[in-house]
Amino acid sequence: MERNLMKGNEALAEAAIRAGCKCFFGYPITPQTEISAYMAKRMPKVGGVFLQAESEVAAINMVYGCASSGIRCMTSSSSPGISLKSEGVSYIAGSDLPCVIINVMRGGPGLGGIQPSQSDYWQATRALGHGDFQVLVYAPSTVQEMADYVTKAFDMADKFRMPALILADGLLGQMMEPVTFADGEIKMSDASGKPWATCGHGNKRPHNIVNSLYLQAEELEYHNVERFKRYEQVKAECPEAESYLADDADIVVAAYGSTARLARSAVDAARSRGIKAGLVRPITLWPFPDKQIKAACANAKRVLVTEMSMGQMVDDIKLAIECRLPVSFFGRTGGVIPKPSEILAQIVTLDEELKGE
Amino acid sequence: MNNEKRENREIILAGFGGQGILFAGKLLAYFGLLGGREVSWLPSYGPEMRGGTANCSVCISDKPIGSPLVTEPNILIVMNNPSYDKFINAVAPDGLAIVDSSLVEGRSDRNDISCVYVPATEMANENDLRGMANIILVGRLIKETGIASAELIRKALEKIIPSSKKQLVEFNMKAIQLGMNS
């Protein structure tokens, strides 16, 4: 297979089209604008729809309508734009519809900055809108994974009738790396296999209704409970993590997305100094891969969480390891990218502490 | 197949927007890609790009690349004064700096790195290759490091120059040759 050199944003857009995404509704914002630009160029050539909406709010509501008809569709933005979309995401989740949403994170809060960040972890995993719902969250770490996980996101969103989010960041969006795509014809999605879709019934069946409004409390409760039953299935089936040199590690570094690749360099550097360090990388952030994290930390004495945020994943790691080990944190925020050498310094400090015990 | 040297390269290219910094970086990344190696290319995308400085990081390695952001380059290509001031002291010991001496006034007194001064912008203007100082510097880099074989250079250029502008391949080859003979 040919290796292409592409930006993360472009690889993701190409993979989405190959996954059958027929409609893309966008609005530009740094550092994800290449997704929109790529879609604008490519969609008309493959029979799909590219639409630049008048705002992020409009774009997510176009996704709501499109998803109702059973067509694979997507929108993308960066942190402040995702906040604007959150009302629409809640409606989509409340209507049990599949779609894919991309967040190429930048520094926040507020308008923040345009440099890479991971400070929307809480928003993505806890509250991408109001109400009782979750979204599937995938955190790619390479340009190849930007492509691979957008495909998976479409499949899982359809399977569980829920929104799936790709949580990337400016570093992954802007960098170029080799990426390969499976050969095969591009086939746009339709509503087949989606009996709930509002795609026209030709008087052959009762009409479908897509709705998130239930004024009867018991009825709303019923829908929420049914949704959470489905989430149990998602939790059983979807969690993914990667571990690297963790089996015999005294110090396990936990990091996701682009920070995980920086941490991996630090782990390699620590190993070359004779420090037993390893890495565990959650790939799904919701559902969180508790079992995989716990297994990766089974022989560890210390856990170090590193993120491009003030430490939003720390609590999830503590819960995953049932608070059995001391967990420390190192992060940079506001768009500052941590250096592998800074992460290494943290590992060395922990190693010295362990030797002193 | 290719006889380029398989070393780990951590490269920063820096200059003004419009000098072809990102293009030159892309060319280096393609040397790695077509040589079957792991590569990454990361541009600066800050507001400073508008008329100000532009820079990009390129990594070429046989192992998966950790940080695509280079902070201690073993190769620096630099094309303006502010970038020279910003990066010359960041070059790793035993590293190489290739400086467009038509545009950069500074001369480094570091003796732990090699500094090569090429009047690339003047050379480009004298040879009807205006705007190709970046490629002349890449040519010099090839001479200094053996980062790409002759075969690879042409293949990479053909890959990144759109077929509608095919005639540019030969101009770029000429610029590379100028750099290699400098």
Side-chain angles (χ1 to χ4, degrees):
Chain A
M1 262 187 293
E2 195 193 348
R3 295 202 306 163
N4 306 280
L5 196 60
M6 287 176 99
K7 280 192 169 191
N9 283 336
E10 295 165 345
L12 180 148
E14 176 62 26
I17 293 170
R18 287 169 186 252
C21 175
K22 191 176 180 182
C23 299
F24 176 85
F25 306 98
Y27 190 79
I29 180 172
T30 304
Q32 67 79 50
T33 299
E34 291 83 3
I35 299 177
S36 266
Y38 193 91
M39 289 296 194
K41 222 193 300 182
R42 188 104 163 85
M43 272 299 201
K45 290 184 185 151
V46 294
V49 171
F50 164 80
L51 198 152
Q52 180 167 321
E54 68 270 34
S55 70
E56 288 88 347
V57 177
I60 191 70
N61 281 292
M62 290 173 188
V63 167
Y64 186 16
C66 186
S68 303
S69 70
I71 299 292
R72 282 192 168 183
C73 57
M74 180 170 116
T75 185
S76 68
S77 194
S78 177
S79 309
I82 294 292
S83 293
L84 286 167
K85 288 181 195 293
S86 68
E87 180 199 50
V89 177
S90 172
Y91 280 49
I92 293 168
S95 305
D96 298 310
L97 294 173
C99 69
V100 172
I101 301 154
I102 314 297
N103 183 0
V104 183
M105 290 182 280
R106 58 188 245 182
L111 270 179
I114 60 173
Q115 298 302 321
S117 164
Q118 295 180 314
S119 51
D120 303 345
Y121 178 94
W122 279 331
Q123 183 195 46
T125 59
R126 298 297 191 277
L128 198 51
H130 63 279
D132 273 327
F133 78 95
Q134 300 271 186
V135 300
L136 263 162
V137 184
Y138 289 102
S141 180
T142 62
V143 171
Q144 183 67 52
E145 285 192 353
M146 290 284 266
D148 294 345
Y149 281 98
V150 82
T151 310
K152 195 158 205 176
F154 273 109
D155 289 343
M156 292 300 126
D158 272 354
K159 181 169 183 183
F160 296 108
R161 286 183 64 182
M162 63 190 292
L165 177 80
I166 302 286
L167 196 64
D169 63 66
L171 195 68
L172 286 168
Q174 293 297 321
M175 71 184 285
M176 288 204 291
E177 249 183 345
V179 56
T180 59
F181 300 100
D183 294 330
E185 206 184 326
I186 293 172
K187 198 170 156 274
M188 291 292 168
S189 64
D190 57 28
S192 56
K194 295 178 178 173
W196 46 264
T198 53
C199 52
H201 53 82
N203 288 324
K204 291 190 175 110
R205 58 162 170 79
H207 64 271
N208 290 331
I209 296 174
V210 168
N211 176 39
S212 72
L213 176 70
Y214 300 99
L215 291 175
Q216 294 298 326
E218 287 77 10
E219 198 187 352
L220 179 53
E221 184 189 47
Y222 166 80
H223 283 285
N224 287 343
V225 169
E226 287 300 304
R227 185 174 311 117
F228 274 70
K229 282 183 193 161
R230 216 162 58 237
Y231 290 164
E232 286 307 310
Q233 236 180 304
V234 177
K235 284 183 191 169
E237 215 174 290
C238 294
E240 273 185 61
E242 179 195 32
S243 68
Y244 174 69
L245 304 178
D247 288 350
D248 68 335
D250 292 329
I251 300 160
V252 171
V253 183
Y256 72 93
S258 55
T259 307
R261 52 193 299 155
L262 312 176
R264 192 181 165 117
S265 296
V267 164
D268 283 338
R271 284 274 170 177
S272 69
R273 291 183 178 205
I275 300 173
K276 283 186 176 176
L279 173 72
V280 64
R281 171 171 81 93
I283 297 171
T284 51
L285 300 182
W286 193 92
F288 200 67
D290 295 306
K291 280 184 196 148
Q292 290 90 331
I293 305 272
K294 196 178 164 188
C297 298
N299 297 314
K301 299 185 179 99
R302 288 283 190 283
V303 178
L304 170 68
V305 181
T306 85
E307 294 173 70
M308 287 192 283
S309 77
M310 292 302 288
Q312 300 190 8
M313 188 172 68
V314 173
D315 288 346
D316 281 343
I317 294 291
K318 284 182 181 170
L319 286 172
I321 60 170
E322 293 159 355
C323 298
R324 282 185 312 106
L325 297 168
V327 175
S328 52
F329 172 71
F330 171 73
R332 299 299 301 263
T333 179
V336 181
I337 300 166
K339 290 181 190 172
S341 60
E342 292 176 313
I343 302 171
L344 175 64
Q346 299 288 322
I347 297 173
V348 170
T349 306
L350 288 174
D351 184 59
E352 279 161 7
E353 271 177 39
L354 283 175
K355 280 183 189 144
E357 278 174 8
Chain B
M1 178 177 102
N2 299 303
N3 55 1
E4 76 278 1
K5 290 188 185 162
R6 299 183 74 86
E7 281 167 31
N8 282 347
R9 316 281 189 185
E10 297 196 3
I11 308 165
I12 290 180
L13 303 99
F16 285 121
Q19 284 179 317
I21 291 295
L22 301 186
F23 181 85
K26 216 168 150 181
L27 183 58
L28 299 181
Y30 267 91
F31 291 161
L33 181 87
L34 298 172
R37 309 184 64 192
E38 299 296 333
V39 297
S40 68
W41 173 96
L42 179 73
S44 60
Y45 64 92
E48 73 271 15
M49 278 178 77
R50 288 187 189 153
T53 59
N55 69 72
C56 79
S57 297
V58 176
C59 301
I60 306 175
S61 172
D62 284 323
K63 291 207 302 184
I65 286 153
S67 177
L69 179 71
V70 176
T71 50
E72 289 161 32
N74 52 34
I75 296 170
L76 171 69
I77 292 183
V78 63
M79 295 184 71
N80 70 0
N81 283 320
S83 301
Y84 174 85
D85 294 341
K86 186 173 175 187
F87 292 116
I88 193 68
N89 289 324
V91 177
D94 299 323
L96 167 69
I98 299 182
V99 181
D100 185 339
S101 55
S102 313
L103 303 175
V104 174
E105 285 156 15
R107 300 291 179 264
S108 177
D109 51 13
R110 285 184 65 178
N111 47 25
D112 61 334
I113 62 172
S114 343
C115 289
V116 180
Y117 299 93
V118 185
T121 297
E122 281 164 48
M123 288 166 70
N125 293 345
E126 284 162 11
N127 289 279
D128 288 330
L129 294 169
R130 192 171 276 275
M132 290 199 179
N134 58 338
I135 305 302
I136 292 175
L137 295 173
V138 170
R140 184 59 188 253
L141 174 67
I142 295 168
K143 176 186 173 182
E144 296 291 330
T145 62
I147 195 170
S149 63
E151 183 197 0
L152 208 56
I153 298 165
R154 181 171 287 277
K155 254 169 106 180
L157 284 169
E158 283 170 355
K159 195 93 189 167
I160 54 177
I161 294 171
S163 49
S164 58
K165 293 181 183 166
K166 228 162 127 187
Q167 72 282 5
L168 290 179
V169 173
E170 294 314 319
F171 289 115
N172 277 276
M173 285 302 289
K174 198 177 155 195
I176 296 256
Q177 280 305 330
L178 270 178
M180 289 181 78
N181 298 332
S182 66

